[in-house]
Amino acid sequence: MTSLILRTTTRYLTPLLLIFSVFLFLRGHNQPGGGFAGGLVAAAPFALFSIAFGAAEARRVLQVEPRWLIGVGLLAALASGVIGLLGGYPFLTGTWGYLKLPGFGVLDIGTPLFFDLGVYLAVIGVTLSIIFALEEAE
Amino acid sequence: MEVILAFVIGGLFALAIYMLLRRSLVKLLIGLALLSHAANLLIFTAAKLTRGRPPVIGMETAALEPPFADPLPQALILTAIVISFGVMAFALALAFRAYRSVGTDDLDQMQSTDV
Amino acid sequence: MMLAISVLSGFGLAFAAPILSRRFGRAAGWILALLPAGLTLYFIGLLPSAAAARPAAFSAPWAPDLGLVFSFRADGLGLLFALLISGIGALVVTYTGGYLKGNPNLGKFYAWLLVFMAAMLGVALADNMILLFVFWELTSISSYILIGFEHERASARAAALQAFLVTGGGGLALLAGLLLLGSAGGTLELSALLGQGDVLRASPFYFPAVLLILLGAFTKSAQFPFHFWLPNAMEAPTPVSAYLHSATMVKAGIYLLARLGPVLNGTDVWVYAVGGVGAATMLVGGYLALSQTDLKRLLAYSTVSALGMLTLLIGLGSPHALEAAIVLLLAHGLYKGALFLVAGALDHETGTRDITQLGGLFSAMKLTAIAGGIAALSMAGLPPLFGFLSKELTYEAALEFGPWLAGAVVLAGLSFVFVAGVVGVGPFWGKQKQTPKSPHEAPLSMWLGPAILAGLSLLLGIFPNSISRFLISPAASGAIGESTSVKLALWHGVNPAFVLSVATILIGAGLFAARHPIRSGLSRFAWRWGPSFFYDRSLDALNALARGQTRLLQSGYLRFYLFAIILTVTGLAGFTLFTRGGLPVPVAVSEVRFYEAALALLILLAAFVATVSWSRLGAVAALGVAGYGVALIYLLFGAPDLAMTQFLIESLTVILFVLAFYHLPHFAQLSSRTARVRDGLIALLAGGLMTSLVLSAVDAQLHPSISGYFVENALPLAHGRNIVNVILVDFRGIDTMGEITVLGIAAIGVYALLKLHTDRKKDKKGGGE
Amino acid sequence: MTSIRCRAQTFEAEHPEEFLMNVLLILPILIPMLTAVLALLLQKSRSTQRAVSSIGAWTLFAAAAWLVVDVWRNGIQAAQMGNWPAPYGITLVADLFSAVMVLLAGIIAAAVGMYSLVSVDAQREEFGYHSLYHFLLMGVCGAFLTGDLFNLYVWFEVMLMASFVLMALGGERGQMEGAIKYVTLNLISSALFLSALGLLYAIAGTLNMADLAYKFSDVSASQHPGLMTTLAILFMLAFGIKAAVFPLFFWLPASYHTPPVAVSALFAGLLTKVGVYALIRVFTLIFLQDVGYTHSLILVIAGLTMVSGVLGAVAQYDFRRLLSFHIISQIGYALMGLGIFTASALGGAVFFIFHVSIAKASLFLVSGVAQRLYRTCDLKRLGGLYQTQPMLAALFLVSAMSLAGIPPFSGFFAKLGLVKAGLDTGQHVIVAVALGVSLLTLFSMLKIWGEAFWKPIPDQSGTTGGLSGVRLSNWLFPIAILSAISVVLGLGAGPAFNFALQAGEQLMDPSLYIQAVLGGAP
């Protein structure tokens, strides 16, 4: 399992996959993709890491406890909903702002994107906790 | 095409149920996986099929011209897929743990809690 | 208001009883008896207004939507019972202080005794029928606890259970009966219902309502064939036997019959059911009493007989019969209560209640003996005691209905005389016998009760008219349903009833003299096939049925659970689909392209391989192929998001399967060929159903989808072009919130399952890395 | 550079009562979610977790009580999540039935939560017990409040997933065996639910329950009577598995007695009730096309469920297994109200569900004390509790008599309401069954009483050293709360039943629900 090819591929693939995952996540609102798919792709390199170098190594690379990511993701989703609520609107009511970025033009930034970020983080956390746990099982 | 898929769905359900009725815990898991495929495909098919046209508004246009695939069932199926993935992962861990504590994956040996 | 308080006060005192009992020790009995004594005086004070047909009443809502009103009414009939309950209650509470002296559970005993008393008062005084039922059930539960007071003994537990099941079962019938009666009469208030006799008798509900109510009354009042619980209930401490199972609770059924008689009697059903069961009970009880050697069981059977006589009189329903019933009720309460208490004193002082071991105790227990003797004479029906009056009236009423009936009543009367002799005379006269404890006089608390009751039997016998106007007449009026005036007199002249009376006493005395041969003769005819036998058998049958059913249904085999569920679903849904005309009309909604058909076939094939594969990895690979196939279908029909997710998830699932397979065993052939064929058929059936459903639904769109809204508003209002994603994170964001929650929980679960084993044992199998 | 704006396309959400409504309806979901997430993030510190968990449970209770008061005063409340108008977004709706079920969840959460603190071992707590506990509550409350059928599926899954993990948490062998059956059979139910949903969407093109009710109330539904009724049956069976009705209940007795008692009590109090809730909801709101067929079938199922459940209980000699079978039997009574299908019958059912959840949770907690004292739930090996634990005995007696329908406790009024409704509509068979089963319930409760409480301690091996006096009160206090509710519901049956009756009347008039969700005619 822990072949040299896998190890090497993993090293080179990791940044690529991470960038791709952010891309998938960001374009999700307008093109196929989104937090869920993005999160899965982002989890992939760490999953490969754990297969190639063992779960302990993968945990070290990840630096945060995957279950913490789950909590933060859920909290983000929840918070994005509460923003509308605090404004006197129902839970999850979208709040939007514009962000003018040189080169990108006008970007719509809103709580639904923040919500999707929660999904993204939670999915990474979930996938990795499951895979690490299975890897570490005696 | 709906008619053909209806038979595929029926077939998937039948195979899933057949697997659920096995005595091996692992086969049961495969049955569960097939069951979720069947149910998802059922939602997809029952809501009518539209070839090709995804429900995405093009970058240059402001509106989507019909015909396009119904987005709602897609969202539902997506949710259902993800949920059944979670369930599946848990079920696998459960099977693993059960095998460890019972020492077999024969479901007929797991009846100490019933009678 | 006072009326309601008077009923409920017992519940209040019950809570305080354990504390008082601990605080005041031996004096507690006397202190607690103050309440019932005070209530007795209060009820006596209510008698004149009841006699004047202006009974005290109280009403407040409890649960009006359920027809339950907190209403009480103290008419003559109710007050007669209330007086018995509170009066004897006072004596029994006092008696308990002596009888259970030093028992660590005395406080609880007082509490339940008071709960019972309050509940019984509620039964007698409630005007609302559901309220009556509430109190009725409370008497059952307090009786249960009190019978099982000495719960270390299995026999006491069994007897308590038996009594509760029989009376509780009857109680449920009673509830249904009362509700039916209520809906037939349009009211649940007894006072209002009593004017509805003709309406009720004409109602289609009359017959079922009467049967159900009778079932309730008969079980409570230990009528044949439900009488068996009462002798067994003698497991209870004697104060309980005297109070609940002789003087009061068992008469709740009688009370109900008397109460409802005016509106229900007069039909064949009533006469034959009530009269017939009453007569049978009277004779069976009287007969069974003859062979008993245990004092309390003897009295219990004799009580059954008396209850039967009461029921018979109410069934006859004539004014004379009902008057006789009222007088008998009072007379019986007085003498039987006294005799039970005497029996308890004998037991307490000598250590045995076996009548063959008791004799010649007069010198040791003079006061007890005198009280017991007077009570026995009343029971035997000797003048000038109250029991004599009651017997005269009963004979007169029976004679109205012909010699057969009179004969039956005389037979029961003979048994009364016999029992009176055995209990009130036998233990005290003749040769003194060796008893487990050396006998001496019972303490004041224990002879006072019998003495007062016996004294009343004597007083009322000599001055019967002292109570006829204010107590007997109003009560009889309640049972008859119209105002009546009962004249009681000790001496009626020489009439047929008197002749029968004299004959009863003489023959009865003769029987008593021959009691030893009679007992040994009768005991050979032990009644093995009695109702008690059927009770036991039906409990056994119930347990066997329960076990059988459970073993059949809850077999422990997951497969059988799945069978049951899948067959139920397929059968019920299929049946509905086919019988209700939902069969599919196969229409090719969109045309088929070759590669699509090939893809469909591939999915099926892959799934098939996954099911039949012998290798785990092969099966999982095939499963993955099937999943990718489904993803391709999504892609072909305009669902790229779905396809992408399905691809990713499917890959991940395969990885998880493979990781888990390190730790799981290989496939093994576990099912037989027949099993596989059977499962295959079931699976095909279920699959077929799903296919038909899809085909029907594809063709049956009734309303257009709401999706148009999402398409229109996704960009302008939700700022997104990918409508599926906008639905997921905005339109139906809360779904997604739930979805990631499920994932999060699953992850916690996987982690915990793999890492936490509270019953961890080291096993060497497997090992991942 | 940036500007912020909110959508407000359908109504101006500026009235304070609308703000209150929006908050009140989501709180029963948000509170447990936040609690669960915080407990998850604070996993390192057990004491913080415990504090968060307790606060969360009591806050949920308070929010639920507030919701009930609000719905009682102002009628059916609805909030459109994301401010998307119904039927496009997801609507949360609280009628009296929903609100009272949420309150029930709050009560059980608080009581069982207190009990968990003393009874659940540290290991389970470290592995996320409190988090899972509140995730389960989140799912339960979501299911009670949602007005969208697919969203109901999602909440079901949240609740199920949490219950799966709670059931398996600890990894004991019995737990594993029970969990496998529990998981498998519930997944069948989920698949069935999902399939039925797909078919329903194909026909109606909508998922909002009020919208479905509205669309099916016109004649168009009669175009496909067979398909509609079949769909109704599919939903009935899918929810029926979750509600544990005959002959779909097998998962329940196989598993409910395996996890820690606090978990059993939580499940007994809430889980099957969600299935019953869903059945009542869809069969009073949506599937009214063929009442003669569907509701008669429900009545038949109700009768069979009562009988088979109670017979199962009679056969048991284990405290918790006996109670588990009773859950099934009691589900039959709740369905009886639905099957009779009148306002008073449904009112009876609502009252019954509330009462039985309380009584059942309380009984499970009692069994936990017995188990703690004797290290067993086998009735043959228990004994003497009446003498040694008089308080426990009293609490048991209240709940047991309540369950058996003995007055003046809550169960009597629940059964009285159902029996009266049955007699009023001439459903004599089910009334007879209900009363007969009631006797058998009494029988099995008395069996526990006789064996565990009255019987002398069988041998001296059973030690009572497990709990000292001070700590025992911590075990008994939650039970006392639940028992007190049983008593209060009985003595205060007047207003309580009146409330239930109003809930029943609301259920019988779907137009109120539709109006609250969709506004005027859509």
Side-chain angles (χ1 to χ4, degrees), chain C residues 42-67:
Chain C
Y42 170 70
F43 292 134
I44 289 174
L46 290 179
L47 282 174
S49 60
R54 283 183 284 99
F58 173 81
S59 177
W62 184 347
D65 295 311
L66 290 167

Side-chain angles (χ1 to χ4, degrees), chain D residues 285-309:
Chain D
L285 188 62
I286 301 173
F287 297 115
L288 302 172
Q289 294 79 34
D290 198 353
V291 171
Y293 181 73
T294 49
H295 289 63
S296 307
L297 188 61
I298 290 175
L299 214 48
V300 173
I301 291 175
L304 291 170
T305 306
M306 284 180 211
V307 173
S308 55

Side-chain angles (χ1 to χ4, degrees), chain D residues 143-163:
Chain D
F144 290 147
L145 287 173
T146 187
D148 185 283
L149 216 44
F150 186 81
N151 195 232
L152 179 66
Y153 165 79
V154 173
W155 292 127
F156 264 171
E157 294 301 305
V158 171
M159 169 187 101
L160 276 180
M161 196 69 233
S163 70

Side-chain angles (χ1 to χ4, degrees), chain B residues 25-63:
Chain B
L25 191 47
V26 180
K27 292 193 178 183
L28 182 97
L29 295 179
I30 293 178
L32 288 178
L34 286 174
L35 197 63
S36 80
H37 287 330
N40 293 336
L41 205 53
L42 183 147
I43 302 179
F44 195 67
T45 309
K48 289 247 173 70
L49 304 171
T50 309
R51 236 179 228 97
R53 322 245 321 170
V56 177
I57 304 167
M59 275 327 232
E60 278 68 45
T61 56

Side-chain angles (χ1 to χ4, degrees), chain C residues 59-75:
Chain C
S59 177
W62 184 347
D65 295 311
L66 290 167
L68 174 55
V69 182
F70 202 69
S71 60
F72 296 100
R73 195 161 164 273
D75 70 347

Side-chain angles (χ1 to χ4, degrees), chain A residues 50-71:
Chain A
S50 86
I51 294 170
F53 304 102
E57 177 68 11
R59 277 186 198 278
R60 198 188 56 73
V61 174
L62 184 63
Q63 291 197 335
V64 291
E65 167 68 22
R67 289 202 292 164
W68 189 80
L69 279 179
I70 302 175

